Amino acid sequence: MNQLSKKSFYIFQISFILLAMISFIYIYTNDTMTIIRSDGYGYYAYLTSIFIDGNFSFKTAIEMAPYGHTMDAIGLHTLDSTGKILNKYTVGVAILELPFFIIAHLYSFIFGFDMLGYSEPYQYSIAISSVFYALLGNLFLYRTLLLFSDKTIALITMTSVVLATSLYHYSTYDASFSHIYSYFLVSVFVYNVFTIDFRSSNLKFLFLGVILGLIIITRVPNIIVGFLLFYILSKYISKHKSKNDKFCCYQNMIKKLFVLMLGTFIVVSLQLLYWHHVSGQIFVNSYVGESFNFLSPEILNYLFSIRKGLFFWSPILLLSIIGLVALCTQRRECLLTWLLGGVFLLHTYIASSWWSWYFGGSFGNRVIVDILPILGIPLAICLNLLKEKLSITIVALIILFFVFLNINFMYSYWKGYIPLDGTTLNHIVRLPSKISYD
């Protein structure tokens, strides 16, 4: 990044921190909610179980659960086969939260706070953790976008991804959920896919494998981003087309891929070891009573419904679809188009096949946050095309409109004008009218 590019980026990041601080103060000083809650409570429970209970009994997590919350409500199930408690959530989020948990633990020890893992220092640590990983996700996304566009379009695209989708909400209001952590990991993965080649060191491939492993054990369906590895393969093979080069090319390629897969396996084995410890089996369907309906996916609802439809709540992402077409037809990057588009299609199919395709009480479409670094690339392509056809001013005005629309809906959700689930057109057109849950 040049100096001007760096300055603009740093201004954005500082603004993000300040906005996040204001949001946390607004949300949590006027409400009885805690930062660690809902799905986030289950992800976090590994930390109190290991470092406070000293085992996988989840004793502290169960005892400290909000009033009225059953074990099922926080994602814990007692297995009939072993009598042990299975946490349905995977361990990736807890691993990423660990440094902040340790700091909160030390702080609580020094200043005399409750050390059971749920007092104020621990709550604040998860807020800081979420913002920290959001900032890193922004950094790697921006670096990736600079590979496909100039610094102005890269900055506008990053602003769009952060403020015109549900990403900011899952950095603040629902900070303990898995999505901002997935956003960070996928951002790192995507950037490395486009900057690594088979001349890179084994350490870089090991690192890429570790990131892929963390992606998998943070949210298993996100394994689909691994398809982007074909981009590295194709790039390398195309440089070694002669017969003399091919043998050495394939030897080196197999060696590097082995290192990558080793890194992935080492990380994923942490989850497999936990499942084996609890159930006696390596692979476990931890979501007891929940399943995919692969033969009848709710694709139209997932994409367009008022309830949680992706393009209804984040219409700016329609520009990403246009950008995918432009990536192939104008930039002649057809393989990359198929890979990015393929990941999005697989994501749509898997997410819309889940029994709860709307993913419960949430703002807009939440699982799309995980793969926003992938959709950010064609979005930048589309915005660059609009800049060439129209002007940068028009592009900025379009983005401002989408940002205003998203922030308006997000604030309405925070205030309770938009319900946790079951949103209809009446909720949208009658704003503001606070929802009653009595």
Side-chain angles (χ1 to χ4, degrees), residues 262-282:
L262 178 63
T264 302
F265 175 75
I266 290 171
V267 175
V268 172
S269 66
L270 297 175
Q271 184 66 55
L272 302 182
L273 287 170
Y274 167 69
W275 280 340
H276 185 267
H277 169 76
V278 172
S279 69
Q281 301 176 23
I282 295 177

Side-chain angles (χ1 to χ4, degrees), residues 8 42 61 64 73 176 229 239-240 259 269 311 332 334 360 381 407:
S8 300
M64 299 296 291
S176 63
L229 294 174
K239 290 181 179 179
H240 298 81
V259 172
S269 66
F311 295 128
R332 306 299 179 188
C334 291
I381 302 298
I407 290 177

Side-chain angles (χ1 to χ4, degrees), residues 233-389:
L233 297 176
S234 66
K235 183 171 61 173
Y236 189 67
I237 291 172
S238 66
K239 290 181 179 179
H240 298 81
K241 291 183 178 179
S242 68
K243 290 183 179 179
N244 294 332
D245 284 347
K246 278 186 177 179
F247 180 73
C248 292
C249 162
Y250 290 133
Q251 263 193 331
N252 189 41
M253 192 166 62
I254 291 170
K255 187 187 300 181
K256 301 288 188 181
L257 287 176
F258 173 79
V259 172
L260 188 151
M261 290 298 110
L262 178 63
T264 302
F265 175 75
I266 290 171
V267 175
V268 172
S269 66
L270 297 175
Q271 184 66 55
L272 302 182
L273 287 170
Y274 167 69
W275 280 340
H276 185 267
H277 169 76
V278 172
S279 69
Q281 301 176 23
I282 295 177
F283 298 101
V284 175
N285 176 20
S286 59
Y287 281 73
V288 178
E290 303 175 79
S291 61
F292 290 95
N293 302 315
F294 288 118
L295 297 180
S296 55
E298 296 280 353
I299 293 175
L300 289 179
N301 277 326
Y302 179 79
L303 293 177
F304 300 107
S305 74
I306 295 176
R307 186 179 187 180
K308 299 288 178 180
L310 170 60
F311 295 128
F312 180 87
W313 290 97
S314 299
I316 195 169
L317 294 179
L318 286 167
L319 299 182
S320 293
I321 307 304
I322 298 172
L324 280 172
V325 176
L327 186 61
C328 184
T329 57
Q330 297 201 357
R331 299 217 176 185
R332 306 299 179 188
E333 288 269 15
C334 291
L335 174 63
L336 182 56
T337 301
W338 281 108
L339 290 174
L340 296 177
V343 171
F344 174 66
L345 289 174
L346 279 171
H347 165 87
T348 300
Y349 175 64
I350 293 170
S352 63
S353 297
W354 186 237
W355 72 273
S356 176
W357 60 266
Y358 44 89
F359 290 88
S362 55
F363 171 65
N365 186 303
R366 63 184 172 110
V367 291
I368 198 63
V369 172
D370 301 17
I371 64 163
L372 282 176
I374 290 172
L375 294 180
I377 296 169
L379 178 58
I381 302 298
C382 181
L383 294 180
N384 190 67
L385 186 64
L386 290 175
K387 186 186 78 169
E388 293 173 356
K389 299 291 185 183

Side-chain angles (χ1 to χ4, degrees), residues 24-41:
F24 279 118
I25 292 169
Y26 174 79
I27 296 164
Y28 294 106
T29 57
N30 298 300
D31 207 310
T32 57
M33 291 191 306
T34 57
I35 295 171
I36 304 168
R37 66 177 190 278
S38 190
D39 289 14
Y41 196 94

